[in-house]
Amino acid sequence: GENVEQHPSTLSVQEGDSAVIKCTYSDSASNYFPWYKQELGKRPQLIIDIRSNVGEKKDQRIAVTLNKTAKHFSLHITETQPEDSAVYFCAANSGYSTLTFGKGTMLLVSP
Amino acid sequence: DAGVIQSPRHEVTEMGQEVTLRCKPISGHNSLFWYRQTMMRGLELLIYFNNNVPIDDSGMPEDRFSAKMPNASFSTLKIQPSEPRDSAVYFCASSSNQWSSGNTIYFGEGSWLTVV
């Protein structure tokens, strides 16, 4: 099955800095890579996703890049704000419909 | 759409008691998932249903756990008997199999279970 590794486990940045979270996956058949944000006590919510037919996708301050050859993908957050503080999970699809999640990255943005 | 609806939101129970968690997926979604979240193990897939049929239950920890989906709008996850190590947040999630909406999985608010 799919195995997703996520780094770092914690990340502290100053407000306005950029943050980068990296993930690797094992199954070359995976073709869908979403990122979820989970605030304290809340549910994980999708913030951006990318499919294997593109290498990069942007949505305002967040972007995701995908390198299928190396089997890794990354989340980039620019101009970080305190409200970006949360746990971020990467995931890759396993089989037709299921997702395997990374262990999560706790991002802390200090004012 | 109200999203994925779970109940109860919080449950505190004594060791040995039966716990039943309930889930209503998003209308029209034909895949349903039960995930368990703990600090140590992160988000673990327990079981996955497609069109009400269990497809993969390899994540179910042991025989004390069981899940059913009697119809397209309802699923239960049961723990009997419960143990303190079952304390976790249990998320139900659903998705559509349509490529246009991808494998996007939508989570419910979670059921926070504490077994004392």
Side-chain angles (χ1 to χ4, degrees):
Chain A
E2 178 64 276
N3 182 48
V4 177
E5 300 283 338
Q6 182 172 348
H7 300 279
S9 56
T10 59
L11 180 59
S12 293
V13 299
Q14 291 291 121
E15 183 177 0
D17 287 350
S18 295
V20 180
I21 303 170
K22 299 181 179 182
C23 290
T24 60
Y25 62 98
S26 61
D27 188 353
S28 57
S30 294
N31 58 8
Y32 175 67
F33 308 92
W35 286 87
Y36 285 78
K37 175 183 180 182
Q38 186 178 25
E39 297 177 345
L40 189 62
K42 301 288 182 64
R43 75 180 95 184
Q45 292 195 288
L46 179 74
I47 55 171
I48 194 168
D49 57 16
I50 191 168
R51 299 186 189 282
S52 59
N53 56 345
V54 297
E56 183 175 359
K57 184 176 178 180
K58 288 187 73 173
D59 183 4
Q60 298 182 354
R61 295 186 299 107
I62 60 174
V64 58
T65 58
L66 170 65
N67 183 328
K68 283 222 75 179
T69 302
K71 288 194 271 196
H72 66 70
F73 56 113
S74 302
L75 177 71
H76 304 252
I77 306 174
T78 58
E79 299 170 30
T80 54
Q81 301 166 3
E83 51 265 39
D84 294 329
S85 296
V87 178
Y88 291 80
F89 293 94
C90 63
N93 61 331
S94 311
Y96 186 59
S97 291
T98 60
L99 288 178
T100 299
F101 286 85
K103 289 284 193 279
T105 296
M106 181 177 293
L107 174 65
L108 178 61
V109 181
S110 303
Chain B
D1 197 314
V4 177
I5 299 173
Q6 292 186 245
S7 65
R9 291 293 317 280
H10 300 273
E11 173 109 1
V12 180
T13 191
E14 291 186 346
M15 182 173 63
Q17 296 298 306
E18 178 179 292
V19 174
T20 299
L21 308 179
R22 298 172 178 81
C23 176
K24 181 181 187 307
I26 293 173
S27 178
H29 282 187
N30 47 8
S31 292
L32 183 139
F33 312 85
W34 284 99
Y35 282 89
R36 178 172 67 178
Q37 186 175 37
T38 60
M39 287 294 293
M40 292 299 294
R41 300 173 71 91
L43 272 167
E44 300 175 278
L45 177 65
L46 299 179
I47 188 169
Y48 152 53
F49 292 87
N50 186 249
N51 293 325
N52 314 338
V53 176
I55 303 299
D56 181 2
D57 65 353
S58 60
M60 295 287 263
E62 48 199 89
D63 292 345
R64 297 186 297 106
F65 285 69
S66 62
K68 294 181 180 179
M69 192 165 185
N71 57 61
S73 58
F74 184 66
S75 176
T76 59
L77 178 67
K78 187 173 293 187
I79 309 172
Q80 166 64 19
S82 58
E83 297 182 3
R85 60 194 169 116
D86 301 330
S87 298
V89 184
Y90 291 82
F91 285 103
C92 178
S94 70
S95 75
S96 165
N97 288 352
Q98 297 302 311
W99 174 252
S100 59
S101 54
N103 302 96
T104 301
I105 289 179
Y106 298 89
F107 286 85
E109 297 279 9
S111 292
W112 295 66
L113 174 65
T114 302
V115 183
V116 298

